[in-house]
Amino acid sequence: MATRVLQRVGKGLKQTKNGLQTNGHVTVVVRSLSAHREDSWFKSLFVRKVDPRKDAHSHLLAKKEDNNLYKIQFHNVKPECLDAYNELCAAVLPSIHADPEYSCELVGTWNTWYGEQDQAVHLWRYRGGYPALTEVMNKLRQNKEFTDYRKERGKMLLSRRNQLLLEFSFWNEPVPRPGPNIYELRSYQLRPGTMIEWGNYWARAIAFRQENQEAVGGFFSQIGSLYTVHHLWAYKDLQSRENTRNAAWQREGWDEVVYYTVPLIQHVESRIMIPMKNSPLM
């Protein structure tokens, strides 16, 4: 009997000891969680908040005075076919641009010089938005010269892709310019939900990049790869590009724009492009 009592007392002491250890562990965890919450709350004071929007960013960022829709095409050409491809495009695309039956304009057509090799880039503008695009596509299906062009072009390509774009309201509309120039297409893949922030910052930043008339056009995607921004720049040569970009850092406020827009970017790509024959942007 006495032995059983002693065993129970000893067992109880062990349970009490374990309980203190367990309770002590819980206390540590609670304090740790409390410290973590205080730290998170303190950090949240420095996180920039974005107000919820009541409208699509296409309505907030695009130009209101016109109804332009842009299409950008990326064609990856078989290396041995690049010269023939360029000649084919020079023979057919300007005729569509010049024909008043088609409510579209060839803004520019280029070969990539630095970046993805053996690549052609075409930029089209449709005055009248999606209805104009649909009308042009329907007419081109009945155009034998264009259908023959597409058939011949298909033999020369490795791959192709396109996007439909709107232009930012604060950028210039691309217009023909004399050459010779080189062009840089900087393409940014933004984090979803950050397009409005990007537009707000660049609405101010574009003023820093106008002194040499290098800003050609700024666009954001509507169909294709989404949350994509394209900025198109023109320079006399690579050295003038270097000088112009370095000069922007001497302007007060440019560093702030870069600081706040870099976190919005998931990926960025730069193409240096040379105009193809008969391109409106030379």
Side-chain angles (χ1 to χ4, degrees), residues 21-86:
Q21 289 176 345
T22 302
N23 291 339
H25 177 68
V26 171
T27 302
V28 171
V29 172
V30 170
R31 287 175 180 170
S32 176
L33 287 172
S34 177
H36 175 71
R37 286 169 183 164
E38 284 187 22
D39 184 54
S40 299
W41 175 83
F42 181 74
K43 289 180 179 177
S44 71
L45 295 177
F46 300 95
V47 176
R48 299 179 65 251
K49 298 293 194 301
V50 181
D51 294 333
R53 300 293 173 177
K54 303 297 184 182
D55 205 351
H57 62 250
S58 60
H59 294 163
L60 296 170
L61 296 174
K63 292 182 177 179
K64 302 292 192 302
E65 62 272 17
D66 54 35
N67 189 25
N68 291 339
L69 180 70
Y70 290 82
K71 177 172 70 176
I72 191 167
Q73 299 172 301
F74 300 95
H75 291 173
N76 293 315
V77 186
K78 296 176 182 177
E80 66 275 15
C81 298
L82 186 60
D83 290 339
Y85 172 89
N86 288 344

Side-chain angles (χ1 to χ4, degrees), residues 63-70 105 107 123-128 166-177 206 210 213-219 232 281:
K63 292 182 177 179
K64 302 292 192 302
E65 62 272 17
D66 54 35
N67 189 25
N68 291 339
L69 180 70
Y70 290 82
E105 303 163 12
V107 177
L123 182 63
W124 295 86
R125 175 168 49 222
Y126 298 86
R127 295 196 183 276
L166 296 177
E167 59 185 328
F168 285 109
S169 60
F170 47 84
W171 274 77
N172 306 325
E173 180 176 295
V175 295
R177 62 174 64 199
I206 193 63
Q210 295 279 28
Q213 303 299 312
E214 69 267 25
V216 178
F219 314 91
L232 184 61
L281 286 173

Side-chain angles (χ1 to χ4, degrees), residues 226-281:
L226 298 179
Y227 298 103
T228 302
V229 169
H230 299 290
H231 290 176
L232 184 61
W233 309 92
Y235 306 99
K236 289 301 178 185
D237 50 40
L238 289 174
Q239 186 59 55
S240 68
R241 170 187 176 273
E242 179 75 5
N243 296 341
T244 300
R245 289 176 57 81
N246 287 341
W249 288 96
Q250 309 307 314
R251 302 289 301 276
E252 185 178 354
W254 175 252
D255 57 341
E256 181 182 348
V257 170
V258 174
Y259 178 82
Y260 284 115
T261 54
V262 165
L264 311 181
I265 302 170
Q266 288 185 326
H267 176 74
V268 61
E269 181 177 4
S270 170
R271 290 176 177 84
I272 301 297
M273 309 184 300
I274 300 176
M276 292 169 59
K277 184 179 178 181
N278 297 332
S279 173
L281 286 173

Side-chain angles (χ1 to χ4, degrees), residues 81-255:
C81 298
L82 186 60
D83 290 339
Y85 172 89
N86 288 344
E87 289 298 323
L88 181 66
C89 291
V92 177
L93 301 186
S95 64
I96 298 172
H97 168 81
D99 192 334
E101 287 294 315
Y102 300 102
S103 53
C104 65
E105 303 163 12
L106 182 62
V107 177
T109 180
W110 303 268
N111 287 130
T112 301
W113 184 22
Y114 289 104
E116 198 161 353
Q117 297 294 284
D118 304 310
Q119 185 182 73
V121 180
H122 309 291
L123 182 63
W124 295 86
R125 175 168 49 222
Y126 298 86
R127 295 196 183 276
Y130 292 108
L133 171 67
T134 302
E135 180 187 359
V136 169
M137 293 297 101
N138 289 336
K139 287 182 177 179
L140 287 177
R141 291 190 186 98
Q142 310 303 318
N143 183 326
K144 186 177 185 305
E145 182 185 27
F146 182 76
T147 56
D148 290 344
Y149 154 78
R150 287 197 60 172
K151 188 180 299 183
E152 191 64 24
R153 185 191 70 183
K155 303 173 185 177
M156 305 177 183
L157 298 184
L158 293 170
S159 64
R160 60 192 177 98
R161 63 185 177 89
N162 58 24
Q163 290 176 305
L164 294 181
L165 315 169
L166 296 177
E167 59 185 328
F168 285 109
S169 60
F170 47 84
W171 274 77
N172 306 325
E173 180 176 295
V175 295
R177 62 174 64 199
N181 295 293
I182 63 170
Y183 289 82
E184 181 177 17
L185 182 67
R186 295 180 72 88
S187 302
Y188 303 88
Q189 186 65 47
L190 303 186
R191 291 191 295 107
T194 61
M195 186 67 72
I196 298 295
E197 284 186 272
W198 181 273
N200 288 339
Y201 284 119
W202 268 96
R204 292 174 291 169
I206 193 63
F208 303 135
R209 299 295 307 275
Q210 295 279 28
E211 286 189 355
N212 296 323
Q213 303 299 312
E214 69 267 25
V216 178
F219 314 91
F220 58 98
S221 61
Q222 288 293 285
I223 296 178
S225 179
L226 298 179
Y227 298 103
T228 302
V229 169
H230 299 290
H231 290 176
L232 184 61
W233 309 92
Y235 306 99
K236 289 301 178 185
D237 50 40
L238 289 174
Q239 186 59 55
S240 68
R241 170 187 176 273
E242 179 75 5
N243 296 341
T244 300
R245 289 176 57 81
N246 287 341
W249 288 96
Q250 309 307 314
R251 302 289 301 276
E252 185 178 354
W254 175 252
D255 57 341

Side-chain angles (χ1 to χ4, degrees), residues 11-25:
K11 186 176 180 181
L13 287 173
K14 287 180 181 179
Q15 289 176 344
T16 303
K17 182 180 180 181
N18 291 338
L20 288 172
Q21 289 176 345
T22 302
N23 291 339
H25 177 68

